[in-house]
Each structure stands twice: as structure tokens, then as C-alpha cells.
Amino acid sequence: DGGPAEGVAVSDGVSTWTTAADGPVEVAAPDGPFAQVSVPSGCEPVGPWWAPWAGAAAGAVRFALRSTDQPVPFSFAQVTDLHLSDGPEPVRLNHPDGLYGWDDAGTLRSKPLSAPADVLRALSGVLAGAFAAGFPAPAFAVATGALTDHGTVAEFGLLVQVTAAAPVPLLVLPGTHAHYGHGHETDPADRPEESAGMGAMTTWRYEQHVGPRWWSRTWGGRRLVAIDWFAWRGGGDGARQEAWLA
């Protein structure tokens, strides 16, 4: 609300500090790519709740919060496996609800599983369904599972569009397909790691275009904690996530 906020948790994804009475917290040597704030109960972020350390002006990262009414009880919605796709629609489908069709050259093409409009329509349907059933509107929604189909840069761009246009605040948590971008587009930054029998994984595309893969926030006095279970299971940064949870 324009003034300093005391006691707010700020993290680098491994260690956590709390802000002093005048608002700041000093982090000598961050151990992760992001500064992120755990939004406290009764507040919502004004602008981003995370920022890359690399882009910090004069070594400082600033976050802003504002007060918001969070009555209890409340509800939130979970949507899963969005499979956002950026591929072109086939020109012709043999069946209206089929997953494959044909392009102008007669080549078999897969139909995009979800476009942004599909996801936004589904979120609006969740809100309408809650209202029709006599429930309070969800305070926010959490999207989990395979957020995109291939985990490519273009698909993550679509995900960012969806979160910005969603009819309810939308929090996201990566699932399996968010880690498979290297299998669909090559990049010198790729350093695939094995993921305990579920294929090799990379994480930089998600982090660069969407943000932190684990986070926490509190709403109406209830704490919500999210981790990247796929990377944790594979062991790539499981120890870092566990250190943050502790």
C-alpha cells in the first residue's frame, strides 16, 4: 500500500529471509536465479512477485503489495493438463473431434490440443459453474500438470498470455511436459538431465519465460506451497527444493 512491509518472507529459492521494519532485506550471495516474495495473507502483489537477480538495477529488487479482502471460508479452482499448443490447425479433419487431420499438401498433422482461447473459455466455465451451483467464486485458480504440450519457448509465450488474460488470478506449477522443450527445439543452452525413468529434462525455458518453478503464498490465512515435483523426483534440484521447504 505504498509503505514498508515488515515480516514478509523473501527467498532465492533455497534460503528465506524476512523483511525488517523499514521493508528491506539484505541478501549477500543469492543461491538461485530469482528473488521471490511469499505473498502474505491479506495481500496481493502489485506487479510481479518474482524477479531475476541478473536484471536487478544496482543490485536491488523491489516488490510491492497491496491489501485485499480475503474472507474465510474461500474456495480456489485447480485446472490441470492444459497442453497449450502453438501448432497450426489442420485444414481438414476426418472427424470434428479428431486429434489428427490433413494440411493443404495432404500431410497428416496433429491438431493443437489447446489454444489460449480454449483455456480461457474453460476458466470462465469454472467460474460460471461455481456460481450456478451456489458456491462463492474461486478466489484464484492453480494450473498444474502439463501446462504446455511440448515445453517450447513459443508455447510458454502462450501460457504467459493466458495468465495475463485469465478471468481469475491464475497461478501455475510446471508438470512433465514443461521439461521436454529440448526434444522439440534445439538450443546451445540445453543440458538435459535424466529424470528417473521419465525422459531427460531441461528447466531453463520455463524459468526464462514463466518464472520460478517452486513458490509459496498465503490467502485467507491458508498457506499454499508448490514445488516442481518432476525435477524433484529426477534429483536435478531436489535438494534445493527440500532446503527451501525446510
Side-chain angles (χ1 to χ4, degrees), residues 150-153 156 176-187 190 200-202 205:
H150 293 140
T152 60
V153 169
F156 286 136
T176 51
H177 288 229
H179 304 78
Y180 290 157
H182 61 282
H184 301 278
E185 58 187 9
T186 57
D187 192 282
D190 287 331
M201 65 177 180
T202 51
R205 288 176 178 81

Side-chain angles (χ1 to χ4, degrees), residues 77 79 82 118-128 141 162 165-168 170:
V79 292
L82 307 181
D118 299 319
V119 176
L120 295 174
R121 187 163 49 248
L123 289 171
S124 295
V126 169
L127 297 180
V162 166
V168 62
L170 181 63

Side-chain angles (χ1 to χ4, degrees), residues 130-223:
F131 179 78
F135 293 110
F140 55 88
V142 182
T144 61
L147 301 174
T148 69
D149 201 31
H150 293 140
T152 60
V153 169
E155 289 179 347
F156 286 136
L158 297 181
L159 180 61
V160 172
Q161 291 178 29
V162 166
T163 58
V168 62
L170 181 63
L171 309 175
V172 295
L173 178 63
T176 51
H177 288 229
H179 304 78
Y180 290 157
H182 61 282
H184 301 278
E185 58 187 9
T186 57
D187 192 282
D190 287 331
R191 302 289 187 274
E193 299 179 63
E194 286 303 317
S195 55
M198 295 184 70
M201 65 177 180
T202 51
T203 58
W204 70 267
R205 288 176 178 81
Y206 183 94
E207 291 186 334
Q208 186 174 104
H209 297 279
V210 183
R213 291 177 289 117
W214 56 91
W215 46 263
S216 70
R217 66 174 50 197
T218 307
W219 183 281
R222 302 297 187 266
R223 187 79 175 273

